[in-house]
Amino acid sequence: MSATTRIAGTRPQATSGPLRRLAAHTLRILLVVFFASPIIFMAVSSLKPDRQIFTDLGTLKAFLPAGDVSLDNYRGVFDRVPAVRFLLNSILISAITVAAGLVINSLAAFALSRMRWPARKAILSAIIATLIVPFETVALPLVWWVNKLPWLTANGFQLVLTEGWLDTYRVQILPFVANAFSIYLFHQYFSSIPTELDEAARIDGAGFFTIYRRVVLPLSGPAIATVAILTFLPAWNSYLWPLMVVQSEGLRPVMVGIQYFFQLNVAWGQIMAYATMITIPVLALFLAFQRSFISSIAATGVKG
């Protein structure tokens, strides 16, 4: 009788397993649809004329490539703004910012996490404290400083010392190479790597830079991918800073180009097409490094 009771008692658990998984998958699908719907609407609307975009609003047709569908909006983007130039500028600025940021921030985090020297914890705390300061509060003082900074420029075969970084590529890159959050992420991940590896490398005669380059960095792939994504996003989406320091059209990034579509007559289809074009690199980067990104965030979250 007890055996029968036990067997009968296991049946609800056996049947609840598939139902629970079905409910979990259904919830995930609904969340994906909810968060992807703006992107789907943007991509679909980029194929429609303005009249049809407003006609389809409030119906499921807004998310379907149905009706008068064409690539005219994309052609109009290139006729209205120098989109290729803006894209190349943003790719250049973002790539250099990411590459330089990975080197500078990882070196700083290595010094703070793997080397023993006085006041390193206080300096790390000061670096993290800068995260609470919004960029808008330092934007105007930063403009003043970059306008006073010197730079060597080539004048024929001579190097001439000039003053001011405004209206250049460097003013869009160098102020954002060092990043407190990137240093923190690297510090947390480097701290999870056993220090015994450093000691073994020192026995073999390796210095700190060799340990950094051959021991710590090869084990920090997820952290590198995460910092690369988190550095790329603000560099690619930068709008306020280039608007303040760049006057030449040939130096402007993609986000500043959006304001071109609100001059004279507003073309919403072209705006959607332009937004779709500048969103694709961000999605491609995240999809390429999503596993490393998730594993790094998970590892960082469980460390002191």
Side-chain angles (χ1 to χ4, degrees):
M1 187 69 178
S2 61
T4 305
T5 303
R6 286 195 299 270
I7 294 173
T10 58
R11 288 178 182 176
Q13 297 178 359
T15 56
S16 64
L19 291 177
R20 188 177 299 151
R21 288 195 294 270
L22 179 61
H25 287 310
T26 302
L27 179 60
R28 293 190 185 100
I29 293 172
L30 291 176
L31 288 174
V32 169
V33 172
F34 177 77
F35 287 108
S37 57
I39 299 177
I40 296 173
F41 173 77
M42 177 183 67
V44 170
S45 298
S46 68
L47 302 173
K48 300 177 181 179
D50 292 358
R51 174 183 50 79
Q52 187 172 348
I53 292 176
F54 290 101
T55 301
D56 294 343
L57 283 178
T59 66
L60 288 178
K61 290 182 179 180
F63 301 93
L64 299 175
D68 189 7
V69 175
S70 67
L71 297 176
D72 291 342
N73 289 327
Y74 289 91
R75 300 189 191 98
V77 166
F78 292 98
D79 293 336
R80 189 160 185 171
V81 302
V84 175
R85 185 63 183 178
F86 291 165
L87 286 169
L88 292 177
N89 288 341
S90 284
I91 291 173
L92 176 66
I93 293 168
S94 301
I96 296 177
T97 303
V98 169
L102 288 175
V103 175
I104 298 299
N105 297 316
S106 62
L107 282 171
F110 179 83
L112 292 167
S113 62
R114 315 293 289 189
M115 300 171 65
R116 299 294 178 262
W117 45 281
R120 61 188 181 90
K121 291 185 178 180
I123 291 177
L124 177 62
S125 300
I127 291 174
I128 296 175
T130 61
L131 292 173
I132 67 175
V133 181
F135 174 73
E136 289 76 10
T137 61
V138 299
L140 289 178
L142 189 58
V143 171
W144 186 87
W145 277 109
V146 296
N147 192 38
K148 297 296 182 180
L149 290 175
W151 190 263
L152 288 175
T153 58
N155 186 7
F157 295 98
Q158 294 181 343
L159 292 177
V160 180
L161 187 65
T162 59
E163 184 181 84
W165 290 11
L166 297 182
D167 206 25
T168 59
Y169 283 118
R170 59 182 176 270
V171 76
Q172 304 179 69
I173 298 172
L174 296 182
F176 306 100
V177 170
N179 182 272
F181 191 64
S182 298
I183 294 174
Y184 172 74
L185 282 178
F186 272 127
H187 177 274
Q188 293 297 94
Y189 202 91
F190 290 171
S191 298
S192 68
I193 300 175
T195 55
E196 289 79 8
L197 297 175
D198 297 8
E199 297 171 359
R202 288 196 196 97
I203 293 175
D204 293 336
F208 281 116
F209 186 75
T210 303
I211 295 173
Y212 159 80
R213 184 168 56 90
R214 296 190 176 182
V215 177
V216 175
L217 278 189
L219 298 174
S220 304
I224 293 173
T226 301
V227 171
I229 292 174
L230 296 181
T231 304
F232 176 84
L233 289 178
W236 184 265
N237 295 328
S238 181
Y239 175 79
L240 176 62
W241 181 249
L243 206 61
M244 297 172 65
V245 299
V246 176
Q247 290 80 38
S248 300
E249 186 177 77
L251 298 174
R252 291 173 178 169
V254 289
M255 288 301 166
V256 178
I258 292 180
Q259 66 178 346
Y260 283 61
F261 296 95
F262 293 95
Q263 299 172 359
L264 300 178
N265 58 323
V266 179
W268 291 104
Q270 294 180 7
I271 293 175
M272 295 297 179
Y274 187 77
T276 302
M277 290 169 54
I278 65 179
T279 302
I280 290 175
V282 178
L283 292 177
L285 182 68
F286 179 77
L287 291 176
F289 296 105
Q290 61 175 329
R291 290 188 178 181
S292 298
F293 178 80
I294 294 171
S295 63
S296 176
I297 292 297
T300 303
V302 299
K303 298 299 176 184

mmCIF file of all heavy atoms in Angstrom, residues 143 220 257 267 292:
data_model
loop_
_atom_site.group_PDB
_atom_site.id
_atom_site.type_symbol
_atom_site.label_atom_id
_atom_site.label_comp_id
_atom_site.label_asym_id
_atom_site.label_seq_id
_atom_site.Cartn_x
_atom_site.Cartn_y
_atom_site.Cartn_z
ATOM 1 N N VAL A 143 35.715 70.434 -22.157
ATOM 2 C CA VAL A 143 35.872 71.181 -23.411
ATOM 3 C C VAL A 143 36.949 72.250 -23.249
ATOM 4 O O VAL A 143 37.784 72.474 -24.145
ATOM 5 C CB VAL A 143 34.530 71.809 -23.836
ATOM 6 C CG1 VAL A 143 34.738 72.769 -25.005
ATOM 7 C CG2 VAL A 143 33.538 70.733 -24.232
ATOM 8 N N SER A 220 41.760 35.666 -19.513
ATOM 9 C CA SER A 220 40.744 36.695 -19.281
ATOM 10 C C SER A 220 39.928 37.007 -20.526
ATOM 11 O O SER A 220 39.491 38.145 -20.719
ATOM 12 C CB SER A 220 41.424 37.978 -18.773
ATOM 13 O OG SER A 220 42.189 37.727 -17.621
ATOM 14 N N GLY A 257 24.741 62.404 -37.242
ATOM 15 C CA GLY A 257 24.066 62.437 -38.535
ATOM 16 C C GLY A 257 22.559 62.346 -38.437
ATOM 17 O O GLY A 257 21.856 62.695 -39.395
ATOM 18 N N ALA A 267 11.704 62.953 -42.849
ATOM 19 C CA ALA A 267 11.420 61.712 -43.570
ATOM 20 C C ALA A 267 11.585 60.549 -42.606
ATOM 21 O O ALA A 267 12.718 60.111 -42.319
ATOM 22 C CB ALA A 267 12.345 61.566 -44.772
ATOM 23 N N SER A 292 30.778 35.103 -23.999
ATOM 24 C CA SER A 292 31.838 35.642 -23.149
ATOM 25 C C SER A 292 31.311 36.772 -22.282
ATOM 26 O O SER A 292 31.687 36.912 -21.110
ATOM 27 C CB SER A 292 33.000 36.149 -24.018
ATOM 28 O OG SER A 292 33.576 35.093 -24.759
#
